[in-house]
Amino acid sequence: MSLILFACVVRVRDGLPLSASTDFYHSQDFLECRRRLKTLALRLAQYPGRGSAEGCDFSIHFSSSRDVACMAICSLQCPAAMAFCFLETLWWEFTASYDTTCVGLASRPYAFLEFDNVIQKVKWHFNYVSSTQMDSSLGKIQEELKFQPPVVLTLEDTDVANGVMNGHTLMHLEPAPSFRMEPVTALGVLSLILNIMCAALNLIRGIHLAEHSLQVAHEEIGNILAFLIPFVACIFQCYLYLFYSPARTTKVVLMLLFICLGNMYLHGLRNLWQILFHIGVAFLSSHQILTRQLQDKQSDCGV
C-alpha cells in the first residue's frame, strides 16, 4: 500500500494550488481529507515552516518556505520523517523550476500543470524505493524534527468558521527556515566596495548641497534629491546582493532606474565621466545581484 497518497504545491499567501499529483483515491474519508487540506492551505501563512494534521485514517503534512508550500496526504503508517523528506525534495524541485516572480504572477489554479509529472515521479520514488536507501536523509530530517518539531493539529482544527478556527485563532510567529545564498565572489566584493563608494559620494554631495541651499536658495531641492535618492538606492543594492529578497528582479530594476535618472538629472553638477562611473557601478551591482542565487541543495533524499 502506498504511504504517500496525494501531494500538491500551493502558494502560501492565498492557498492557490499551483500543481498536484493525480488523484486515484475516491473513498469518502479520503475526499473529506482532501477538502480539509484545501481549507488548511488557506491558513498556511499562520503556521511555521512544518506542520501535520492527523485524523483517524489519514494525515496531512505541509512544509513551506517563502511563498511556496508543499502538502501531502499520507497514510497513518507513513513516518513523519519520510513525509517531510518527500516534501522538502518536492519544494526544491519546484523552486528550481519556477522563480518567485512566476509564482507571484500565477492567477489561476494549477497554473504549473506540467509539474504534475515531477510530483508523480517523486511520489513514486518515496513509495516504492527501499527506506534503507534513504537512511542518511531520513536521519537528518529526524534530527531536524527533534530540535524543531512541527506544529501538530487534528483534521478538525483545519475547519474554518467565519475566519476563526474552532473559536480561537492560532498565530505562530516562528519564521520559516532561511536558505543560504551562494558564496560571495571577488567581483561581487568589488561591486559592494564601489557601490559603498558611490553611496558615500552621493551622501556627502547631497548634505553639502542641502546646507548651502538652506543658506542661499530653495531652488536646489531637485539636485539634493538627485543625490540622496541614488544614495538610498546604492545602499539597497548592497542589501539585495547580501540577502535574499522576494521579487528581487523588480527591486533591482527600480534601484537601477533611480540611480540612472538621478545621475542624468545631475548633468552639469557632474561631468560625463563621473555620470558614466556611477551608472556603470549600478549596472555591475545589478548584474551581481541577479546572478547570485540560492545555494544549491545537495540531493540527499534519494531522488
Side-chain angles (χ1 to χ4, degrees):
M1 178 183 176
S2 298
L3 297 178
I4 301 171
L5 307 177
F6 173 80
C8 64
V9 181
V10 303
R11 189 164 62 191
V12 172
R13 73 169 186 263
D14 55 6
L16 179 73
L18 304 174
S19 184
S21 63
T22 304
D23 187 0
F24 295 108
Y25 305 92
H26 304 287
S27 69
Q28 189 61 38
D29 290 341
F30 179 81
L31 294 177
E32 176 65 15
C33 192
R34 278 284 307 274
R35 184 188 69 79
R36 294 178 185 272
L37 179 144
K38 291 179 181 179
T39 303
L40 178 60
L42 299 173
R43 314 284 295 184
L44 286 178
Q46 297 183 359
Y47 295 101
R50 288 175 178 157
S52 300
E54 299 182 352
C56 296
D57 299 316
F58 304 101
S59 59
I60 298 173
H61 301 280
F62 63 86
S63 179
S64 64
S65 179
R66 301 200 297 273
D67 203 25
V68 174
C70 296
M71 308 181 72
I73 297 177
C74 304
S75 67
L76 293 180
Q77 290 73 34
C78 181
M82 179 178 175
F84 286 114
C85 188
F86 164 75
L87 293 174
E88 182 177 332
T89 302
L90 204 59
W91 188 92
W92 280 101
E93 290 283 349
F94 186 85
T95 54
S97 303
Y98 309 101
D99 59 25
T100 54
T101 302
C102 292
V103 173
L105 293 177
S107 58
R108 58 183 177 83
Y110 306 105
F112 306 101
L113 191 63
E114 64 278 4
F115 191 74
D116 295 5
N117 292 330
V118 178
I119 298 179
Q120 290 291 114
K121 176 183 174 182
V122 178
K123 183 163 72 77
W124 183 92
H125 182 89
F126 275 82
N127 278 332
Y128 297 106
V129 171
S130 172
S131 60
T132 57
Q133 299 181 26
M134 299 184 289
D135 280 346
S136 60
S137 54
L138 291 178
K140 176 184 175 182
I141 294 294
Q142 286 173 339
E143 287 297 316
E144 293 180 4
L145 296 180
K146 183 184 300 183
F147 290 104
Q148 191 177 4
V151 62
V152 178
L153 310 170
T154 64
L155 289 184
E156 287 71 23
D157 288 332
T158 62
D159 276 333
V160 180
N162 296 323
V164 179
M165 300 177 69
N166 285 347
H168 62 280
T169 302
L170 298 178
M171 295 296 294
H172 299 267
L173 302 180
E174 297 90 346
S178 59
F179 294 92
R180 296 180 180 178
M181 302 286 289
E182 291 178 346
V184 174
T185 63
L187 192 57
V189 173
L190 176 62
S191 73
L192 284 174
I193 294 173
L194 293 176
N195 223 345
I196 293 172
M197 183 188 304
C198 290
L201 291 172
N202 286 323
L203 181 62
I204 293 171
R205 291 290 303 276
I207 292 177
H208 176 75
L209 188 60
E211 292 175 345
H212 175 75
S213 299
L214 289 175
Q215 297 174 7
V216 179
H218 297 281
E219 291 80 15
E220 298 291 336
I221 188 66
N223 291 332
I224 296 173
L225 292 176
F227 280 116
L228 296 183
I229 291 176
F231 158 71
V232 174
C234 289
I235 296 300
F236 196 60
Q237 277 193 327
C238 294
Y239 172 83
L240 289 174
Y241 179 75
L242 294 173
F243 305 100
Y244 185 85
S245 177
R248 186 168 50 162
T249 302
T250 302
K251 294 175 183 177
V252 168
V253 172
L254 284 175
M255 295 307 104
L256 181 60
L257 184 63
F258 288 149
I259 293 173
C260 292
L261 291 177
N263 279 277
M264 291 171 62
Y265 187 88
L266 292 172
H267 183 64
L269 293 179
R270 280 179 172 157
N271 61 42
L272 180 61
W273 292 109
Q274 290 174 325
I275 293 174
L276 291 177
F277 173 77
H278 282 265
I279 293 178
V281 171
F283 271 97
L284 174 63
S285 299
S286 299
H287 177 267
Q288 291 301 303
I289 294 169
L290 295 176
T291 54
R292 189 178 185 221
Q293 302 295 328
L294 286 173
Q295 190 172 23
D296 288 336
K297 175 180 178 291
Q298 297 298 323
S299 180
D300 59 358
C301 286
V303 177

